[in-house]
Amino acid sequence: LRDRVKVGAWSGHRTPEDAAAIATDAQARGATTLKLKCEVEDDVPAIAAAIRAACGPDFGVIFDPNERFDELRHAIRIATELDRIGNVVCLEDPLPRWDLGAYAELRAHT
């Protein structure tokens, strides 16, 4: 049915430099995205920017804070900065899953 399948890579928390190196290696092996764990204290926009600089704008990034962006204001700030960088394909579970109102508000701001 297919002769090619898109593949992504995964890693835990990383500095911008480490994430760029992992993304470069993943891209060389055929991956089109890198998923990373993160939290509010991480410089998430700097990580996305470092990956974009290393791999180009078409290499995607997925950030998964596992609901650790405790407050909506943090999620809005980070998501807005990530939108400007332009290589993030998904911000997975940024807020507590039960807070559907916060998800709607985040969506309205991004």
Side-chain angles (χ1 to χ4, degrees):
L1 182 65
R2 293 183 181 92
D3 60 350
R4 304 191 87 167
V5 177
K6 288 187 177 188
V7 175
W10 180 92
S11 185
H13 291 262
R14 297 293 174 183
T15 66
E17 297 78 21
D18 290 342
I22 290 168
T24 300
D25 182 57
Q27 186 179 46
R29 295 172 184 261
T32 59
T33 58
L34 175 63
K35 178 178 174 177
L36 296 164
K37 298 296 181 178
C38 65
E39 52 193 64
V40 170
E41 293 79 16
D42 295 331
D43 193 348
V44 177
I47 295 167
I51 292 171
R52 182 183 171 116
C55 298
D58 295 330
F59 188 85
V61 184
I62 300 168
F63 286 106
D64 182 4
N66 288 108
E67 304 178 29
R68 288 189 202 109
F69 292 178
D70 301 320
E71 297 179 28
L72 176 61
R73 64 187 175 100
H74 298 302
I76 291 172
R77 177 184 53 80
I78 293 168
T80 301
E81 292 177 35
L82 292 174
D83 190 40
R84 283 188 226 130
I85 296 164
N87 61 342
V88 176
V89 297
C90 181
L91 183 56
E92 182 181 336
D93 294 331
L95 298 161
R97 285 182 212 165
W98 55 264
D99 195 350
L100 298 180
Y103 273 92
E105 190 76 18
L106 176 60
R107 180 66 183 115
H109 283 88
T110 59

